Amino acid sequence: MSIKCQCKTSRRDFIKSIVPACAAASLVMQEHPVFAQGIDPAAGSMPHKFDQLIDRKLTYIDFYALRYREFIKLTKALVREWGKDKVIEFLKKSTAERAFKRGQAQAKKLGDNSLATYVQQFRPPKYQKSLTHKIVEDTDTAFQMIVTECIWAKTFRDAGMGDIGYAHICHGDYSWPQGFNANIKMERDKTIMQGHDCCNHRYIVT
């Protein structure tokens, strides 16, 4: 069967094909003791944290490359079939919906949808192996962090897919807090995924 026939089955098939792999990878990250504890099993010199080993052979960046390998392959095929603009439009829509639902689920589980509760997930040691970030503003009504390294951006940009990575990963950052609390808004005009020197996430209560 040709790629053309596969791509035109339905857009729902596209989501079904990538969600199981991403969900499985997320489960590995939650349950693997190295991810859970932030342990570097490598002895001797300390490489960059993205290059540190999860086990004897697999590094963090290797893990992310494997995690998104099939998604990237499939997306490239869809770009050839539909064109990049349509694929990006579709990814942004599905990512926004997914992130909004994630925010809703978090607020329900935590029983508190305040800004302080939402941004708690970004405080150290959270994301210590996947991001390098610094909190530069922290009040009752505003929270800003500057991200200078991002393993998601490195993964997609190394594959020449930064614009796809933005649509699939970064775009959901806007609707995520909205799902958590309709009065929390994210402001941002730079992302590493798009080639800037940092991501400047700022969350405010409106």
Side-chain angles (χ1 to χ4, degrees):
M1 184 178 290
S2 66
I3 292 176
K4 182 175 182 180
C5 292
Q6 293 172 2
C7 293
K8 287 192 173 182
T9 52
S10 75
R11 293 187 178 186
R12 186 172 297 175
D13 290 339
F14 170 60
I15 297 178
K16 288 181 179 179
S17 66
I18 62 174
V19 168
C22 292
S26 297
L27 183 61
V28 171
M29 292 186 70
Q30 293 169 11
E31 295 186 347
H32 197 292
V34 175
F35 279 111
Q37 301 174 28
I39 298 171
D40 174 25
S45 61
M46 291 289 291
H48 187 281
K49 62 183 178 181
F50 294 171
D51 296 320
Q52 291 177 12
L53 293 171
I54 297 173
D55 55 28
R56 293 183 179 180
K57 295 183 179 180
L58 189 70
T59 65
Y60 284 86
I61 193 62
D62 291 338
F63 176 85
Y64 277 80
L66 288 170
R67 177 183 182 183
Y68 290 105
R69 182 177 60 186
E70 293 304 316
F71 170 81
I72 288 173
K73 287 170 60 178
L74 179 57
T75 305
K76 286 181 176 179
L78 290 173
V79 167
R80 292 193 295 270
E81 178 67 17
W82 295 348
K84 182 176 287 188
D85 290 345
K86 287 185 178 180
V87 172
I88 288 176
E89 179 184 358
F90 171 70
L91 286 174
K92 282 185 175 181
K93 181 179 179 180
S94 61
T95 299
E97 292 174 352
R98 183 178 69 248
F100 187 86
K101 290 178 180 178
R102 179 182 183 184
Q104 286 182 317
Q106 285 180 317
K108 182 177 180 180
K109 179 179 180 180
L110 295 171
D112 178 2
N113 68 344
S114 65
L115 175 66
T117 298
Y118 180 76
V119 301
Q120 186 64 31
Q121 63 190 320
F122 303 125
R123 298 185 186 280
K126 306 291 186 180
Y127 293 102
Q128 65 179 349
K129 292 298 184 181
S130 54
L131 298 177
T132 298
H133 63 296
K134 179 180 180 181
I135 297 169
V136 297
E137 184 179 10
D138 193 358
T139 71
D140 292 339
T141 58
F143 177 91
Q144 183 174 12
M145 62 180 183
I146 303 297
V147 179
T148 53
E149 292 182 303
C150 170
I151 202 166
W152 287 275
K154 179 169 176 55
T155 299
F156 279 89
R157 288 182 63 81
D158 282 356
M161 300 283 280
D163 46 0
I164 296 296
Y166 178 86
H168 183 57
I169 303 292
C170 311
H171 184 68
D173 292 338
Y174 290 98
S175 59
W176 183 3
Q178 290 281 285
F180 192 84
N181 182 331
N183 294 320
I184 299 177
K185 177 184 177 182
M186 188 194 76
E187 299 175 337
R188 181 180 65 198
D189 58 17
K190 296 197 296 184
T191 70
I192 300 171
M193 190 76 82
Q194 294 172 301
H196 298 117
D197 62 336
C198 69
C199 306
N200 54 347
H201 307 259
R202 187 170 188 260
Y203 301 90
I204 61 173
V205 177
T206 59

